[in-house]
Amino acid sequence: MTSPSLKPSASLEPPLQPFDLPRRLVAEALGTALLLAIVIGSGIMGERLAGGNVAIALLGNTIATGAGLVVLITIFGPLSGAHFNPVVTLAFAMRRELSGRIAAAYVGMQIVGAILGVWAAHLMFGEPVVQVSAKLRDGPAQAWSEAVATFGLLVAISGALRFRPDATPAIVGLYITAAYWFTASTSFANPAVTLARAFSDTFAGIAPASVPVFIAAQLTGAALAVTLSIWLFRQEPAR
């Protein structure tokens, strides 16, 4: 029998406690900023290198975004939950897994981080820092696409957390990679991302006039997804 004094030092360390709120908020802001730097930066790079081929530009934008999400969720997930998305935060609040006060703080930091990420991408590519997009994304098909994209994202997250929490980063990254191509809107599925992309007149931008419809569709899709997921993935008592 091993003496307590000979046990590995790791076993003597106190158990890890949840991270404090300031660090969680910084993680949300930083993660969202990096996500937007990836989205905008890869869009600019893709468009510059594609020689006018929009499909190639979108492919570069897609791969970078999906891969970046896997990394960011893996790193920041244990810290803040790696929401990076107001509808994800609202979903946790609706399930009473996050207080209204903390949810509001998360959303505020996500929006601030998203805009900073856009500006960081502009600086990296020598673009004017402050821009307003002229890229209209209008029509019922675009709105419906955002509702579907956001619904699918929230269902995917709920299912991953219920059955394969360790695979959540890959599941989210792969879903967004797919949704870039199966939705007419290229799957923004994120109000903070949508708002921030209005400040970039580049490949991944969206005109401010198109933002309200996108966000309304995203909130609708998210509400439906949360309602369904609470029932669909509910833990059943043993029979």
Side-chain angles (χ1 to χ4, degrees), residues 157-168:
I157 291 171
S158 296
L161 293 176
R162 174 69 174 82
F163 300 118
R164 289 290 304 278
D166 57 320
T168 301

Side-chain angles (χ1 to χ4, degrees), residues 132-143 146 184-186 188 194 197-214:
V132 176
S133 179
K135 191 168 187 176
L136 288 169
R137 298 175 185 263
D138 290 336
Q142 295 278 318
E146 279 303 292
S185 63
T186 66
F188 285 46
T194 303
R197 285 168 70 165
F199 294 97
S200 184
D201 194 22
T202 62
F203 181 80
I206 177 173
S210 301
V211 168
V213 172
F214 265 52

Side-chain angles (χ1 to χ4, degrees), residues 77-151:
L79 223 172
S80 68
H83 296 183
F84 312 146
N85 186 335
V87 295
V88 174
T89 298
L90 291 174
F92 278 88
M94 287 174 65
R95 296 166 62 98
R96 302 182 184 278
E97 297 176 19
L98 205 63
S99 73
R101 179 181 67 86
I102 293 176
Y106 264 46
V107 171
M109 295 301 282
Q110 290 158 1
I111 292 171
V112 170
I115 294 172
L116 292 176
V118 168
W119 290 346
H122 290 166
L123 285 169
M124 286 192 289
F125 286 92
E127 294 275 339
V129 174
V130 179
Q131 304 178 20
V132 176
S133 179
K135 191 168 187 176
L136 288 169
R137 298 175 185 263
D138 290 336
Q142 295 278 318
W144 173 240
S145 293
E146 279 303 292
V148 170
T150 311
F151 176 86

Side-chain angles (χ1 to χ4, degrees), residues 1-12:
M1 187 171 179
T2 306
S3 166
S5 62
L6 298 179
K7 288 182 180 179
S9 59
S11 66
L12 302 178

